[in-house]
Amino acid sequence: MAPQRRGAPRNAEGSGPAERRRLSSPRKDRVPGEAQKPWLKAVGLGVSLMLAALLLYNSLGTGDGVTEVLAFRGEVLSGRFIEVPCSDDYNGHRRFEGCTPRKCGRGITDAVISREEAERIRRVAEKGLSLGGSDGGASILDLHSGALSFGKHFVNLYRYFGDKIQNIFSEEDFQLYRDVRQRVQLSIANAFGIQASSLHLTRPTFFSRINSTEARTAHDEYWHAHVDKVTYGSFDYTSLLYLSDYLEDFGGGRFVFMEEGANKTVEPRAGRVSFFTSGSENLHRVEKVSWGTRYAITIAFTCNPDHSIEDPALT
């Protein structure tokens, strides 16, 4: 042991046992304290660094540079709207006066869809996704086209399951879906000062279910930053209806508007509708889900009737 190695030399001339004990005792008393000091300093430094990292994590979210929360999960918002300058993305597409965005921005409301309705529409998603699901962490269900994640691929649930669909969904499910879509459409029209009739539902409009399972294909990598108008040329207005609660049903998974040095985030809450113009003025991403399961539905609108789609129907 260290105290023994550091004792007085065994053959010290003229030293008896008593003298050796007297000389070595102070040394033995000092060594433990001296050995502990560097260790305690290291522990103290480690704790300080951990606390600093925790504070940094809390201030920046999950490393995305989030500096402002537009809507906390615990808030109940009758309506919040933030106007931002429009990008040039709309200039490369046919313009429709009275609809194509001239006023751009993003809005959040908890007053359009109730939490009870969100729970009911979530059950519709759960029933459909129970028929398949991605091998990775992100699954989609599109009741319009029939697209359903299935392993590493997609199937058309109407063709793949045929008449069995009648035993999965009800007409009430589809009526609720249509009613929710109409109210979201009206909310967007009111916020941007346009006629609801000028907006047309467009593809893709779909349910999403996201968990922390590792991505298996590129379709599972939902967290990349993107612009909807660039990814889907038909999009003019994008909306999301959240069907589960941040920090209750899942962790991570917040919606992030990306702005230089000042990202903005929306914390999902069941029944919350988040909507925005689809151009580069609203570059965005979704944080990776770290635990639990996040449900939402993306409802997209176009000003171009040539890109419109019909509401889904069970028969």
Side-chain angles (χ1 to χ4, degrees), residues 288-308:
K288 287 186 178 181
V289 170
S290 56
W291 59 268
T293 305
R294 176 190 190 270
Y295 283 90
I297 177 172
T298 298
I299 307 174
F301 295 96
T302 182
C303 296
N304 189 341
D306 293 340
H307 295 304
S308 66

Side-chain angles (χ1 to χ4, degrees), residues 54-295:
L54 181 61
L55 290 171
L56 183 61
Y57 179 93
N58 288 335
S59 65
L60 298 181
T62 56
D64 289 323
V66 174
T67 57
E68 181 181 347
V69 177
L70 296 182
F72 289 96
R73 183 206 65 188
E75 292 182 283
V76 179
L77 302 175
S78 59
R80 179 170 292 166
F81 185 82
I82 301 93
E83 188 168 354
V84 297
C86 291
S87 66
D88 295 330
D89 294 343
Y90 309 99
N91 295 336
H93 298 264
R94 182 180 171 188
R95 297 192 69 89
F96 293 83
E97 287 304 319
C99 183
T100 298
R102 292 191 180 278
K103 172 185 177 182
C104 293
R106 54 195 70 146
I108 308 103
T109 178
D110 297 310
V112 175
I113 309 298
S114 71
R115 289 177 67 81
E116 185 272 334
E117 289 170 322
E119 176 61 28
R120 287 170 56 202
I121 199 76
R122 172 175 166 168
R123 287 197 292 269
V124 176
E126 290 172 334
K127 287 191 289 188
L129 288 163
S130 71
L131 299 172
S134 171
D135 287 344
S139 300
I140 72 161
L141 167 65
D142 183 339
L143 292 179
H144 302 267
S145 69
L148 171 68
S149 298
F150 203 86
K152 293 183 176 64
H153 308 285
F154 296 92
V155 297
N156 185 309
L157 68 94
Y158 300 119
R159 290 200 296 265
Y160 194 86
F161 296 100
D163 293 339
K164 293 180 181 178
I165 292 299
Q166 304 288 333
N167 300 322
I168 301 298
F169 300 112
S170 68
E171 180 54 42
E172 289 76 15
D173 292 335
F174 281 70
Q175 182 56 52
L176 174 63
Y177 184 94
R178 292 190 289 268
D179 181 54
V180 165
R181 187 273 302 168
Q182 289 169 354
R183 280 186 277 158
V184 170
Q185 181 173 342
L186 182 60
S187 180
I188 291 173
N190 289 339
F192 289 99
I194 58 179
Q195 294 294 318
S197 59
S198 69
L199 292 172
H200 307 277
L201 192 65
T202 193
R203 66 172 57 89
T205 286
F206 57 93
F207 290 106
S208 60
R209 182 185 69 193
I210 305 175
N211 58 38
S212 59
T213 303
E214 182 181 354
R216 303 297 183 187
T217 71
H219 297 294
D220 298 317
E221 297 182 8
Y222 57 85
W223 54 82
H224 299 297
H226 63 280
V227 174
D228 288 345
K229 188 68 178 173
V230 174
T231 305
Y232 312 106
S234 63
F235 279 35
D236 288 304
Y237 300 90
T238 306
S239 67
L240 294 103
L241 168 59
Y242 297 108
L243 306 176
S244 49
D245 291 319
Y246 172 64
L247 293 184
E248 287 190 9
D249 299 311
F250 62 92
R254 294 181 299 177
F255 188 95
V256 181
F257 291 106
M258 302 184 69
E259 298 181 3
E260 186 175 353
N263 292 346
K264 310 292 193 302
T265 187
V266 175
E267 296 182 353
R269 169 188 170 88
R272 172 165 289 168
V273 177
S274 173
F275 57 88
F276 50 93
T277 46
S278 305
S280 299
E281 67 277 1
N282 282 312
L283 173 69
H284 61 274
R285 68 187 294 265
V286 174
E287 294 175 335
K288 287 186 178 181
V289 170
S290 56
W291 59 268
T293 305
R294 176 190 190 270
Y295 283 90

